[in-house]
Amino acid sequence: MQHSIFSKCFASSSRILRPTIRPSTLKQTCDVFINHRGNDTKRTIAGLLYQHLSDLGYNPFLDSKSMKPGDNLYKKIDPGITNCKIGVAVFSQRYCESYFCLHELALMMECKKKVIPIFWNVKPSELRVLDNRSCTTKELERFQRAIDEAKNIVGLTFDTSNGDWSEFLTSATNSIIQCLHEAEEDAENLHKHKITKY
C-alpha cells in the first residue's frame, strides 16, 4: 500500500525529470550507488529511490536489486562504487554497526565520489564507529575518517515520525538528478581539457 501511494506521488515528476544520459551508456556505468543498511531502509527510502530513479531511466545500484544469488559481494559492490557517477549514503540509527556500509562509504570517499548524505531518523552527531573487536585498528580509523567526512557534507534529513514522505522523496530525487547532471558536466569538461592539453 505504501509503495503504491509513493508511486502516485511521483507520477507527475516522472513526466518532467528525464536523464540526459544516452540509453546506450546506461548499462556501462552505474549512475547512483545507494549505500544503506538493508534492515533499516531497504524497504523504505533506499528501495523507493532505486525504483523511482529506474523508472526515470537512470541506472542506480542497490545490492538487493543489482545482484543475484552467487555473486561475490566485493566483486560486484567495489566496481559498482568505483564506476558510479555519484553516491547516496542513507544513514540510519544502526548504520555504523554494518561493516559493509562502512566499507562502501570509505571506498566512495577514497574514490572522491560526490556523495549525498541522507540522515534517516538519525542526527549526524550520533554517527560514530564503535569498536566491536571485529575490525582492525586501521579499518576503524578508515571508517571513522569516512564518517567524519560525510558529516561535513550538506545532506538531507528526514524524521519518519512527522516528516512528509512525498515531499522528501521528491526533494531527494531532484537533488540526486541535479548532482548527476553536475557530475556529467564535470566529466565532460575534464575530457575536453585533456583533449585540449594534448
Side-chain angles (χ1 to χ4, degrees):
M1 170 126 178
Q2 264 188 344
H3 190 273
S4 63
I5 292 169
F6 297 133
S7 297
K8 288 176 185 174
C9 288
F10 293 130
S12 59
S13 65
S14 65
R15 288 192 295 269
I16 299 166
L17 302 171
R18 293 282 181 234
T20 57
I21 310 159
R22 290 188 301 278
S24 60
T25 63
L26 282 173
K27 298 303 174 191
Q28 297 169 2
T29 285
C30 154
D31 293 317
V32 185
F33 186 94
I34 303 172
N35 163 250
H36 70 296
R37 187 175 187 276
N39 291 344
D40 297 347
T41 59
K42 192 180 302 297
R43 290 187 292 174
T44 54
I45 185 63
L48 290 166
L49 279 175
Y50 173 88
Q51 191 59 55
H52 190 49
L53 289 166
S54 296
D55 290 346
L56 292 172
Y58 293 95
N59 184 26
F61 186 105
L62 185 70
D63 55 4
S64 61
K65 303 286 187 181
S66 306
M67 297 175 64
K68 61 185 186 302
D71 283 345
N72 179 287
L73 286 170
Y74 290 106
K75 286 182 180 176
K76 281 284 187 176
I77 288 174
D78 287 8
I81 292 169
T82 55
N83 295 322
C84 75
K85 294 177 181 175
I86 67 166
V88 172
V90 183
F91 295 109
S92 51
Q93 290 176 336
R94 297 183 63 198
Y95 176 96
C96 290
E97 295 175 19
S98 167
Y99 177 91
F100 275 102
C101 285
L102 295 167
H103 166 72
E104 291 168 10
L105 179 67
L107 187 55
M108 284 194 285
M109 296 305 184
E110 289 158 2
C111 292
K112 306 295 183 193
K113 297 295 178 181
K114 188 162 194 172
V115 175
I116 299 173
I118 294 177
F119 301 101
W120 189 258
N121 290 332
V122 69
K123 295 175 183 172
S125 59
E126 296 173 320
L127 296 172
R128 60 181 59 88
V129 178
L130 303 174
D131 185 0
N132 59 8
R133 304 195 182 266
S134 65
C135 300
T136 65
T137 303
K138 195 172 181 180
E139 284 176 320
L140 289 172
E141 289 170 357
R142 176 180 180 242
F143 296 159
Q144 191 59 57
R145 269 196 311 273
I147 288 287
D148 291 341
E149 194 173 338
K151 287 179 184 180
N152 290 318
I153 300 171
V154 176
L156 303 166
T157 59
F158 190 74
D159 180 347
T160 55
S161 64
N162 59 20
D164 183 320
W165 276 79
S166 62
E167 184 181 306
F168 177 77
L169 288 168
T170 300
S171 172
T173 302
N174 290 343
S175 295
I176 290 167
I177 291 171
Q178 183 180 342
C179 279
L180 269 173
H181 290 315
E182 289 170 4
E184 288 169 7
E185 285 172 14
D186 289 346
E188 234 176 80
N189 291 336
L190 183 64
H191 182 66
K192 284 177 186 173
H193 176 69
K194 283 182 179 176
I195 291 173
T196 305
K197 192 175 177 183
Y198 294 109

